Amino acid sequence: MKSRSAAIHEAALRLAHLQNPREAWHRTLMAHPPLAGETASLVAWLHQQALMGATVETILAGLCVQALAMDLDLDRAVVAYLVFHPQFDGMTFTWTRDTGQAERQAATQPDIRRLPSPFLHMQTTGIEELRYRLDDRGEPLPFPLLSHLRSLGFTDYLAFFQPFGTSADPGLWPDMPPGTVMRAGVTGSFSTARRNGFTERELDVLRTLVAPFAVAVKAAATIEMAEILLGTYLGAATGRSVLRGHVQRGHGHRVHAVILYSDMRDSTALAASAALEIYLATLNAYFDCVVDAVDAQGGEVLKFTGDGVLAMFPFEEGTQAGTNACGLALAAARDALDRLGQVNVRRAEAGASEIRCGIALHAGDVMYGNVGSARRLDFTATGPAVNEVCRLETQCKTLAVPLVLSDTAASLYGGPLRSLGWYDLRGVGRAIEAFALPEYRT
């Protein structure tokens, strides 16, 4: 089905060989009165939302509310797109007139492939528009979703696909039928429950809005995916810092914090003896325990160092906040060990080996910023305190305890601790006294 703009363009081309192009275009527009008067303000609003970085929820709900104000009988609208996310593969937003709100739903590949759908059909075939009248009860419908909408009283369904001109990496969709191309783009639909469905005027307006709507959605989705990916790889706070423009080499800041460093035991031997899949699964199970525990207490994971996790709990030096930060770091450490204990129970039942780690807590300054070459940068944490906490963690193995605190961290903690003695650590210019919680016995 041709869009209105395509029909106008074709009509202009037919007239072009008879007269000059400018006159041909003018006569074509006179024969097809434009909808600009109705849609210009809404198109401008969509452009503004894209420039302002509005969320998809705001864009979809705002579009639908303004469409109702233009006397479009709209009862349901959906927009969806593929995402780069460590947990999901697609994002769908649904607006209904009853709720007046756009609700978000994340989808995995099994969700997307579970049933044939208009959206999946358009993305794999490249078809850019599908329309189905739902009010003819005797007419068979090709997709289960349409039958469901019919049962809810909807009478008309207009779906669109606005392609980006690119496709998803086939390696990311290994379970699709051979030769299937998963095209990237924005898919969406508009539905009404009014008797006799959409009018031709409403269809023309909706088709005119597809491209600017897709542009606004793509802008919002790109910003959100950038935040998610930077947060995933750099940490939430660091990711936001990069997005705010802190990308110059040498740019950084000093942070006073309680520092947590965790290191997995026997990972080198496991890497040498186990299959790659088993090794990575074990490593990820360990990271899940430590990172989730840090996140739960509001800490910031700075980086992974092989099988180690470096995290911090910042506070303002010279304030009572240091005690709070130490309490949060200690709670995260205990939680991580408890989570590992639960994982190990399940691993023992499955005949898998135990996952063990050592955790050290320290307090001091972290120099955190951009380092590297002019073309390849890393946002990294450095400084004496980072070196000291990593060295201190090695004492967990020597002292046979899973968690140790430095004298600096212990000075911030108000609870009972027992001294494990003073130690000269390699690369550290002073002796450090190590402490353990009473429940962890050597």
Side-chain angles (χ1 to χ4, degrees), residues 117 134 364:
S117 71
L134 309 178

Side-chain angles (χ1 to χ4, degrees), residues 68 97 131 142 197 226 290 298 343-344 347 352 389:
L68 292 176
R97 189 189 293 202
R131 187 196 174 195
V290 179
V343 167
N344 284 329
R347 290 176 64 85
V389 74

Side-chain angles (χ1 to χ4, degrees), residues 1-19 21 24-25 27-29 31-32:
M1 183 176 293
K2 294 186 180 68
S3 68
R4 186 175 189 278
S5 60
I8 292 175
H9 181 63
E10 289 182 7
L13 291 177
R14 287 195 297 271
L15 287 170
H17 72 283
L18 301 175
Q19 57 230 327
W25 186 251
R27 289 181 58 180
T28 302
L29 287 178
H32 298 265

Side-chain angles (χ1 to χ4, degrees), residues 261 278 288 376 406 412:
Y261 181 69
I278 294 176
D288 276 342
R376 176 64 173 87
S406 71
L412 300 173

Side-chain angles (χ1 to χ4, degrees), residues 330-353:
L330 190 55
R334 281 171 151 166
D335 186 20
L337 294 171
D338 288 343
R339 290 172 188 252
L340 266 181
Q342 295 168 17
V343 167
N344 284 329
V345 169
R346 296 191 293 271
R347 290 176 64 85
E349 294 171 350
S353 61

Side-chain angles (χ1 to χ4, degrees), residues 21-323:
R22 183 182 296 275
E23 181 182 351
W25 186 251
H26 175 73
R27 289 181 58 180
T28 302
L29 287 178
M30 291 303 97
H32 298 265
L35 294 165
E38 291 185 287
T39 61
S41 62
L42 189 45
V43 170
W45 180 83
L46 287 168
H47 290 164
Q48 183 184 44
Q49 299 307 298
L51 292 171
M52 293 175 60
T55 65
V56 177
E57 290 94 333
T58 297
I59 294 168
L60 177 59
L63 172 71
C64 293
V65 168
Q66 294 180 74
L68 292 176
M70 292 171 57
D71 293 327
L72 271 69
D73 204 310
L74 191 63
D75 291 290
R76 182 179 184 268
V78 180
V79 68
Y81 47 83
L82 301 180
V83 296
F84 299 132
H85 191 286
Q87 296 172 293
F88 310 115
D89 301 288
M91 204 65 70
T92 301
F93 301 81
T94 303
W95 174 91
T96 61
R97 189 189 293 202
D98 291 341
T99 65
Q101 296 179 342
E103 297 182 356
R104 172 191 298 247
Q105 183 176 13
T108 62
Q109 286 192 31
D111 297 328
I112 295 171
R113 299 192 311 267
R114 183 170 293 116
L115 294 173
S117 71
F119 286 6
L120 182 60
H121 179 68
M122 289 189 291
Q123 284 187 274
T124 55
T125 62
I127 294 173
E128 296 185 14
E129 181 179 306
L130 293 172
R131 187 196 174 195
Y132 295 97
R133 292 296 300 268
L134 309 178
D135 46 0
D136 184 354
R137 296 288 174 174
E139 184 70 20
L141 296 169
F143 302 104
L145 169 68
L146 300 179
S147 299
H148 176 65
L149 292 177
R150 171 186 279 175
S151 70
L152 296 177
F154 289 94
T155 59
D156 208 343
Y157 177 88
L158 177 71
F160 68 84
F161 173 55
Q162 189 68 42
F164 295 161
T166 58
S167 301
D169 184 340
L172 299 177
W173 292 80
D175 296 330
M176 296 294 282
T180 300
V181 176
M182 194 68 166
R183 294 164 178 82
V186 174
T187 50
S189 68
F190 302 104
S191 306
T192 183
R194 183 181 57 200
R195 183 178 180 184
N196 297 324
F198 289 122
T199 66
E200 287 304 314
R201 166 189 166 270
E202 289 173 326
L203 292 172
D204 284 343
V205 170
L206 293 174
R207 287 167 178 150
T208 301
L209 293 174
V210 164
F213 179 38
V215 168
V217 169
K218 182 179 181 181
T222 300
I223 292 172
E224 181 172 309
M225 279 191 278
E227 292 176 344
I228 290 171
L229 290 176
L230 284 171
T232 299
Y233 283 94
L234 299 178
T238 304
R240 287 192 297 269
S241 181
V242 170
L243 280 177
R244 287 197 299 268
H246 298 166
V247 295
Q248 296 295 320
R249 183 169 63 162
H251 180 276
H253 56 283
R254 186 186 300 267
V255 179
H256 203 70
V258 174
I259 311 164
L260 180 151
Y261 181 69
S262 174
D263 189 57
M264 182 176 160
R265 292 281 173 266
D266 303 322
S267 62
T268 302
L270 180 65
S273 61
L276 176 62
E277 294 78 9
I278 294 176
Y279 172 70
L280 291 179
T282 303
L283 199 60
N284 286 332
Y286 155 69
F287 283 142
D288 276 342
C289 294
V290 179
V291 174
D292 288 353
V294 170
D295 286 344
Q297 298 300 328
E300 174 84 358
V301 173
L302 301 178
K303 65 189 299 111
F304 298 105
T305 56
D307 54 13
V309 180
L310 183 66
M312 69 176 178
F313 295 78
F315 66 92
E316 186 177 347
E317 190 175 6
T319 68
Q320 189 64 25
T323 298

